[in-house]
Amino acid sequence: MDDIPIPIPRQRTSFMARVREFMRARHLAYRTEETYCFWIKDFIRFHRMRRPEALTAAEVDAWLGSLANRRSVSINTQKTALNAVVFLYKQFLGIEIGELQFDKTSKGRRLPVVFTHEEALVVLGQLEGHHKLAASLMYGSGLRVMEAVRLRVQDVDFGHHCLFVREAKGEKWRRTLLPKSLLQPLEAQIELALALHKRDLDEGFGEVYLPHALAKKYPSAARSPGWQYVFPAAERAVDPRSGVVRRHHIGEQQVRRSVGRALASAGIRKKASCHTFRHSFATNLLAAGTDIRNIQELLGHNDVNTTMIYTHVIGAHERGAVSPLDMG
């Protein structure tokens, strides 16, 4: 249940408690909240617990520079840290920190590892049950592992052969493909999930976690079939944050471990993971001639430049180039 926000103390006297409350009022994703809080605390500790209001752009530059020079973080990690501290000053404190001139990390972005279609099918063939179905959605629909395990019954549109991804990274909704080959397995999985839900209701339970304030706005929604997880956990559990007994979704780590074992069994020696299925979804669509803008929308990328990295992954040979040794 590590994707359920921790409760904020009623007496919000600490600085970070007030920061968290501010973030939740603006409906930041919980993972974004956790990430930003991590970097804000790192920034404060770096300057020996001095109050951020007393620090200037020079101190921000020193911290960001240390991430590049001493800790050798990647470009994306340094950008995330920058976003966190800019949010702290501009949004929370209402302070303009001015122009920053920090040392940028030289650890460049690497090309993502991808499967061939045959490799993806071999790995999927090593999986079973709902882990196989979740991984199939990563490859067939371009879902992240967290998006797959958080999928709700109402997010599956069988009539239009599409999925609605509502609890995505950055709280951005999108619509993506639902492979025809997964229609029957998904219908069976949803029937299983709803049968489990009915049993929970009969035993006096059946409530599911709802994001933000939806539980207060729609009191009966937490027990409705549409809000139930497609991949419910095997057992009910006490939510340590609220004390409510609920059935959560299966854990991301369970799926990751299963995929790791499947990779070993399949003899795939690439540095692959669950996210490789999502990368492979994009590269295979691109190789098949799908427009890059369509792929951007299916993946939920803000900037098409993020999606453009896949044009480098598909390989020159797939764009008609032939090695001189293979000519003639």
Side-chain angles (χ1 to χ4, degrees), residues 266-287:
I268 303 295
R269 294 180 177 84
K270 295 179 176 180
K271 190 178 179 180
S273 65
C274 284
H275 211 63
T276 307
F277 285 118
R278 176 172 159 88
H279 292 320
S280 305
F281 167 82
T283 53
N284 281 315
L285 284 180
L286 189 61

Side-chain angles (χ1 to χ4, degrees), residues 7-79:
I8 298 174
R10 291 187 178 181
Q11 293 184 345
R12 303 171 184 91
T13 55
S14 75
F15 180 80
M16 291 309 302
R18 288 187 284 116
V19 171
R20 282 187 183 273
E21 182 183 29
F22 184 83
M23 290 179 179
R24 291 187 191 178
R26 279 145 186 80
H27 302 295
L28 268 68
Y30 182 55
R31 293 205 172 196
T32 303
E33 174 188 320
E34 286 286 275
T35 302
Y36 278 15
C37 286
F38 171 84
W39 287 116
I40 289 170
K41 286 188 282 189
D42 189 90
F43 171 64
I44 293 172
R45 291 191 190 103
F46 179 83
H47 290 293
R48 300 183 179 181
M49 308 306 290
R50 292 170 62 191
R51 295 183 64 82
E53 300 94 321
L55 302 175
T56 65
E59 280 83 14
V60 176
D61 285 338
W63 173 64
L64 291 170
S66 75
L67 295 180
N69 299 324
R70 297 183 183 179
R71 292 160 67 173
S72 300
V73 301
S74 68
I75 290 175
N76 286 341
T77 299
Q78 191 184 44
K79 284 182 178 178

Side-chain angles (χ1 to χ4, degrees), residues 80-102:
T80 302
L82 172 62
N83 290 340
V85 79
V86 167
F87 179 89
L88 171 69
Y89 279 99
K90 191 172 182 179
Q91 300 293 328
F92 180 68
L93 296 174
I95 298 174
E96 289 292 339
I97 55 176
E99 185 178 355
L100 297 175
Q101 298 179 335
F102 57 91

Side-chain angles (χ1 to χ4, degrees), residues 151-171:
L151 200 65
R152 312 263 186 167
V153 171
Q154 64 184 358
D155 298 336
V156 184
D157 188 338
F158 288 106
H160 292 94
H161 292 183
C162 68
L163 297 175
F164 290 92
V165 185
R166 307 175 198 266
E167 297 181 63
K169 186 178 180 180
E171 293 293 288

Side-chain angles (χ1 to χ4, degrees), residues 101-175:
Q101 298 179 335
F102 57 91
D103 293 336
K104 292 183 172 62
T105 183
S106 59
K107 191 176 180 181
R109 178 182 291 179
R110 299 176 181 176
L111 293 179
V113 175
V114 298
F115 295 130
T116 64
H117 177 62
E118 291 73 21
E119 287 174 334
L121 294 183
V122 169
V123 177
L124 292 174
Q126 301 294 321
L127 295 165
E128 297 180 347
H130 49 241
H131 289 175
K132 180 177 182 177
L133 182 54
S136 297
L137 288 171
M138 295 176 222
Y139 179 51
S141 304
L143 300 188
R144 301 176 177 90
V145 61
M146 70 172 185
E147 294 168 349
V149 300
R150 290 181 185 176
L151 200 65
R152 312 263 186 167
V153 171
Q154 64 184 358
D155 298 336
V156 184
D157 188 338
F158 288 106
H160 292 94
H161 292 183
C162 68
L163 297 175
F164 290 92
V165 185
R166 307 175 198 266
E167 297 181 63
K169 186 178 180 180
E171 293 293 288
K172 300 176 184 69
W173 290 23
R174 72 178 190 276
R175 192 172 75 163

